[in-house]
Coordinates of all heavy atoms in Angstrom, one line a residue:
Chain Y
P9 N 19.0 43.5 49.9 CA 18.6 44.5 48.9 C 17.5 43.9 48.0 O 17.5 42.7 47.6 CB 19.9 44.7 48.1 CG 21.0 44.1 48.9 CD 20.5 43.2 49.9
D16 N 2.1 50.5 51.4 CA 1.6 51.8 51.0 C 0.6 52.4 51.9 O 0.2 53.5 51.9 CB 1.1 51.8 49.5 CG 2.2 51.4 48.6 OD1 3.3 51.9 48.6 OD2 1.9 50.4 47.8
Q27 N 6.2 37.5 52.6 CA 4.9 37.8 51.8 C 4.5 36.6 51.0 O 3.3 36.2 51.0 CB 5.1 39.0 50.9 CG 4.0 39.3 50.0 CD 4.2 40.6 49.2 OE1 4.0 41.7 49.7 NE2 4.5 40.4 48.0
F148 N -4.0 8.2 57.3 CA -4.7 9.2 58.1 C -3.8 9.8 59.2 O -3.6 11.0 59.3 CB -6.0 8.6 58.7 CG -6.7 9.5 59.7 CD1 -7.7 10.3 59.2 CD2 -6.5 9.4 61.0 CE1 -8.4 11.2 60.1 CE2 -7.2 10.2 61.9 CZ -8.2 11.1 61.4
N165 N 10.9 28.4 62.4 CA 11.3 29.5 61.5 C 10.9 30.8 62.2 O 11.7 31.8 62.1 CB 10.6 29.3 60.1 CG 11.4 29.9 59.0 OD1 12.5 30.4 59.2 ND2 10.8 30.0 57.8
G189 N 1.9 38.2 71.8 CA 0.8 37.2 71.8 C 1.0 36.1 70.8 O 0.7 34.9 71.1
L219 N 3.1 -2.5 65.9 CA 2.8 -2.8 67.3 C 1.5 -3.7 67.3 O 0.6 -3.4 66.5 CB 2.5 -1.5 68.0 CG 3.6 -0.5 68.3 CD1 3.1 0.8 69.0 CD2 4.7 -1.1 69.1
G234 N -3.9 16.7 75.3 CA -2.7 17.6 75.4 C -2.5 18.3 74.0 O -2.0 19.4 74.0
V248 N -6.6 36.5 70.0 CA -6.5 37.7 70.8 C -5.4 38.6 70.2 O -5.7 39.8 70.2 CB -6.1 37.3 72.3 CG1 -5.9 38.6 73.1 CG2 -7.2 36.5 72.9
I280 N -2.7 26.6 80.6 CA -3.7 26.0 79.8 C -3.5 24.5 79.6 O -4.5 23.8 79.4 CB -3.8 26.8 78.5 CG1 -5.3 26.6 78.0 CG2 -2.8 26.3 77.5 CD1 -6.3 27.1 79.0
S284 N -6.6 20.9 80.0 CA -7.1 19.9 79.1 C -7.7 18.7 79.8 O -8.4 17.9 79.3 CB -6.0 19.5 78.1 OG -4.9 19.2 78.8
D291 N -14.2 10.4 83.0 CA -13.5 9.2 82.6 C -13.1 8.3 83.8 O -12.9 8.8 84.9 CB -12.1 9.7 82.0 CG -12.2 9.9 80.5 OD1 -13.3 10.3 80.1 OD2 -11.3 9.6 79.8
V294 N -8.6 8.3 85.9 CA -8.0 9.4 86.7 C -9.0 9.7 87.8 O -10.2 9.7 87.6 CB -7.7 10.6 85.8 CG1 -6.5 10.4 85.0 CG2 -8.9 10.9 84.9
A344 N -20.0 54.9 67.8 CA -19.3 55.6 66.8 C -18.2 54.8 66.1 O -17.5 55.2 65.2 CB -18.6 56.9 67.4
K348 N -19.1 49.6 59.8 CA -19.2 49.2 58.4 C -17.9 48.6 57.9 O -17.9 48.1 56.8 CB -19.5 50.4 57.5 CG -21.0 50.8 57.6 CD -21.2 52.0 56.7 CE -22.7 52.4 56.7 NZ -22.9 53.6 55.9
F356 N -15.0 42.7 66.5 CA -15.8 42.9 67.7 C -16.9 41.8 67.9 O -17.1 41.4 69.1 CB -16.5 44.3 67.6 CG -16.7 44.9 68.9 CD1 -15.7 45.7 69.5 CD2 -17.8 44.7 69.7 CE1 -15.8 46.3 70.8 CE2 -17.9 45.3 71.0 CZ -16.9 46.0 71.5
I378 N -21.2 19.9 86.3 CA -22.0 20.2 85.1 C -21.5 19.3 84.0 O -22.3 18.9 83.2 CB -21.9 21.6 84.8 CG1 -22.6 22.4 85.9 CG2 -22.6 21.9 83.4 CD1 -22.5 23.9 85.8
A394 N -18.8 28.3 69.3 CA -18.8 29.7 69.8 C -17.4 30.2 69.9 O -17.0 31.3 69.6 CB -19.6 29.9 71.1
A438 N -23.9 32.1 66.0 CA -24.5 32.3 67.3 C -25.8 31.5 67.5 O -26.0 30.8 68.5 CB -24.7 33.8 67.6
L442 N -26.1 28.3 70.1 CA -27.1 28.3 71.1 C -28.0 27.1 71.0 O -28.3 26.4 72.0 CB -27.9 29.6 71.0 CG -27.4 30.8 71.8 CD1 -28.3 31.9 71.6 CD2 -27.3 30.4 73.3
T481 N -27.1 26.8 58.3 CA -27.3 27.2 56.9 C -27.0 28.7 56.8 O -26.3 29.1 55.8 CB -28.8 27.0 56.5 OG1 -29.1 25.6 56.7 CG2 -29.0 27.3 55.0
E505 N -1.2 48.4 44.0 CA 0.2 48.7 44.2 C 0.5 50.2 44.0 O 0.0 50.8 43.1 CB 1.0 47.8 43.3 CG 1.0 46.4 43.7 CD 1.7 45.5 42.7 OE1 2.6 45.9 42.0 OE2 1.3 44.3 42.6

Side-chain angles (χ1 to χ4, degrees):
Chain Y
D16 300 311
Q27 172 176 285
F148 174 86
N165 208 6
L219 292 177
V248 175
I280 206 59
S284 50
D291 269 34
V294 282
K348 284 182 175 172
F356 212 87
I378 293 170
L442 271 180
T481 306
E505 288 173 26

